[in-house]
Amino acid sequence: MFREWPAGRLGRLFRVPLKPGERSALKLHLAAQALGAVASGVVLNHDYIAGNGLGGSVAQITALAMIWPVSNLFSVLASHWLDSTNSHFRAMMLGTVMRLAVALMAFSSSVNTMLLLLFLFFASNSVVIPGTNAALRHRYRRGNRGVLFGWGMSVFNLVSLPASILVGVLLDADFSLYRWLFLAQGIFGAGQALCFAMMVRGLKNDGETPSVSVREMFRGLVAVFRADREFVLFEAFFMLYGFGFLGIQPAIPFFARDVLHLSYEQYATAKGVLGQVGLVFLGPLLGAGLERIRPFRFTGHMCMLLAGYPLLLAASSLTPGLGVPLFYGAWMVYTTAMAGIHISWSMSSMHFAPEGKVATYQGFHVTASAFRGFISPALGSVIMQTFGYTANFAMSAAFFLAAGILFLRHARKRALSGLPSGAPPSLPGST
């Protein structure tokens, strides 16, 4: 048993009692979030850099929207490796190198080169995200986990807000500075992965039987889907949300450029500031709430609210005189809803996963985003080019509403049946 760590400065700041190990883990966690936030200031402007500055085509911007989810396709393999080998630290170091590669964009003006380097950058998530979630589960106690995760998200977004604005200002002043911005993305993104690597150094799995057989891994995945119906339903409903989220991405930079004629600073203000500010203030509150609210109900409410984001974009396209204010309003709705969605996406697998399986569950979660990433951006692009921006925005709203209704309907059915939120199911290989 650990004794309680005296509150000290960190304890008073976060209003949680910290045990030995939690305080050092929190320092690394917050440092990682701050470094990653600087890189995020560039990431949030990728589509406008490619579409407006480098002359990217619709096909290239669609591919850009696909890179993040598709690059996570091998997350299940990476997660299995982490679950079965205690290789968290080595995996994070690999992710550090993969993120650093995007700095090579400093020597290129090709959108295709940008796509290749970003594929490596985002593919690092296949090892960084499952390893990070394992660290959060092991380094923080259950009662502290949501709150500290939320505060970490707030630090991330508090730093990313001025970083996004600075990126827009620099690009408006001299677009050629994009080369230095990609260099910064590589360095700071790698720094984030390195801090998380230090956070998981020496981490041991809790009861997992080592196995590196891919065949056994896939048998385990089949067992998860057969035994854990709640997790299957959650992923299915979350898939609909993902179609709405990714399907709208190809339209936004072209709509901002061709219809609203936004500058880089205006675009950064909307997407990088208004679109992220809710995560700063709502992150800790929602992070704490997730441990008390069922993921179905919690995520359902967020999806229903998120539907207002594409609906306001549709209104922006239909009323040119109010286009820019409505565009800004859409991102304010987006930031409120996505504060909850982000926490749900990052932590819900911890709710479902039995001991020793959290990385596998999160790997499934991440890999599911890869499969929808193959389809939804292309679908959104086709609808945009065939029927226009308003139709694309309406499609996105329909997916959000469908996901929200299904999440809430299932939560209500469980409540009426008297089923508790319950512990995760017992699965082969779990303890």
Side-chain angles (χ1 to χ4, degrees):
M1 294 294 292
F2 290 114
R3 62 180 176 84
E4 292 292 329
W5 188 274
R9 292 181 179 178
L10 281 176
R12 289 194 297 269
L13 176 61
F14 297 101
R15 298 183 181 277
V16 291
L18 300 177
K19 287 185 176 180
E22 281 186 316
R23 187 167 73 166
S24 59
L26 180 59
K27 289 179 179 179
L28 286 170
H29 183 190
L30 297 184
Q33 294 298 76
L35 291 169
V38 177
S40 177
V42 184
V43 171
L44 290 169
N45 289 278
H46 279 164
D47 52 358
Y48 217 42
I49 291 174
N52 191 41
L54 299 179
S57 65
V58 172
Q60 287 174 318
I61 300 304
T62 301
L64 181 59
M66 296 170 65
I67 281 180
W68 174 75
V70 172
S71 65
N72 293 322
L73 182 60
F74 300 107
S75 186
V76 166
L77 295 172
S79 300
H80 172 71
W81 178 46
L82 291 174
D83 265 349
S84 60
T85 65
N86 283 325
S87 299
H88 301 86
F89 179 72
R90 283 182 289 167
M92 290 294 195
M93 294 305 295
L94 174 62
T96 299
V97 175
M98 293 171 71
R99 290 189 173 189
L100 189 60
V102 78
L104 294 174
M105 191 61 195
F107 305 102
S108 175
S109 60
S110 167
V111 176
N112 289 332
T113 300
M114 177 180 173
L115 294 175
L116 175 62
L117 295 175
L118 287 178
F119 181 84
L120 290 174
F121 184 89
F122 290 117
S124 69
N125 290 339
S126 294
V127 291
V128 173
I129 290 178
T132 299
N133 277 275
L136 294 178
R137 174 156 176 164
H138 289 76
R139 299 306 191 199
Y140 298 147
R141 288 171 295 160
R142 181 179 296 273
N144 288 351
R145 194 179 299 147
V147 176
L148 297 179
F149 178 86
W151 277 110
M153 191 172 70
S154 289
V155 168
F156 180 94
N157 289 281
L158 189 62
V159 176
S160 74
L161 299 187
S164 297
I165 284 290
L166 180 60
V167 168
V169 170
L170 291 174
L171 291 172
D172 278 329
D174 183 357
F175 179 74
S176 68
L177 291 174
Y178 80 88
R179 299 177 185 273
W180 291 98
L181 294 174
F182 276 106
L183 179 63
Q185 179 187 333
I187 293 173
F188 284 93
Q192 180 189 35
L194 184 60
C195 283
F196 279 131
M198 300 305 295
M199 191 174 175
V200 300
R201 191 172 187 177
L203 185 65
K204 300 296 182 183
N205 290 324
D206 46 359
E208 182 70 16
T209 302
S211 171
V212 294
S213 166
V214 174
R215 184 178 181 181
E216 290 180 12
M217 180 201 70
F218 280 109
R219 285 179 177 175
L221 298 183
V222 172
V224 168
F225 277 97
R226 286 179 176 175
D228 198 342
R229 180 176 179 271
E230 292 295 288
F231 184 62
V232 172
L233 287 175
F234 184 88
E235 290 298 317
F237 301 160
F238 212 88
M239 184 73 71
L240 291 176
Y241 146 79
F243 270 83
F245 178 77
L246 292 172
I248 201 175
Q249 300 303 313
I252 291 173
F254 292 107
F255 177 69
R257 183 191 70 182
D258 299 334
V259 177
L260 301 181
H261 309 292
L262 299 184
S263 68
Y264 288 106
E265 184 178 356
Q266 287 177 309
Y267 191 79
T269 298
K271 189 176 180 182
V273 178
L274 296 179
Q276 306 298 315
V277 69
L279 298 174
V280 176
F281 300 106
L282 297 177
L285 175 63
L286 296 177
L290 185 60
E291 297 197 11
R292 298 191 299 269
I293 300 174
R294 295 182 184 180
F296 285 99
R297 181 183 177 187
F298 180 83
T299 312
H301 285 303
M302 295 300 104
C303 286
M304 297 297 287
L305 177 60
L306 189 58
Y309 156 60
L311 290 177
L312 281 173
L313 290 178
S316 176
S317 68
L318 294 173
T319 55
L322 297 174
V324 175
L326 288 172
F327 187 77
Y328 286 162
W331 288 101
M332 293 178 70
V333 172
Y334 171 92
T335 193
T336 304
M338 286 304 294
I341 291 290
H342 180 76
I343 291 177
S344 179
W345 188 90
S346 299
M347 296 193 68
S348 58
S349 59
M350 296 183 189
H351 171 87
F352 295 102
E355 294 297 310
K357 290 289 186 179
V358 65
T360 296
Y361 270 63
Q362 186 66 9
F364 247 120
H365 202 42
V366 173
T367 302
S369 71
F371 285 111
R372 63 178 173 258
F374 277 110
I375 303 171
S376 46
L379 174 64
S381 180
V382 169
I383 290 177
M384 175 189 72
Q385 294 183 84
T386 305
F387 302 106
Y389 295 116
T390 303
N392 176 281
F393 300 150
M395 172 209 69
S396 176
F399 277 120
F400 289 145
L401 289 171
I405 290 170
L406 289 172
F407 273 122
L408 293 175
R409 181 184 178 189
H410 184 72
R412 184 171 180 271
K413 286 174 63 176
R414 287 188 60 82
L416 290 175
S417 66
L419 292 175
S421 56
S426 176
L427 297 171
S430 65
T431 56

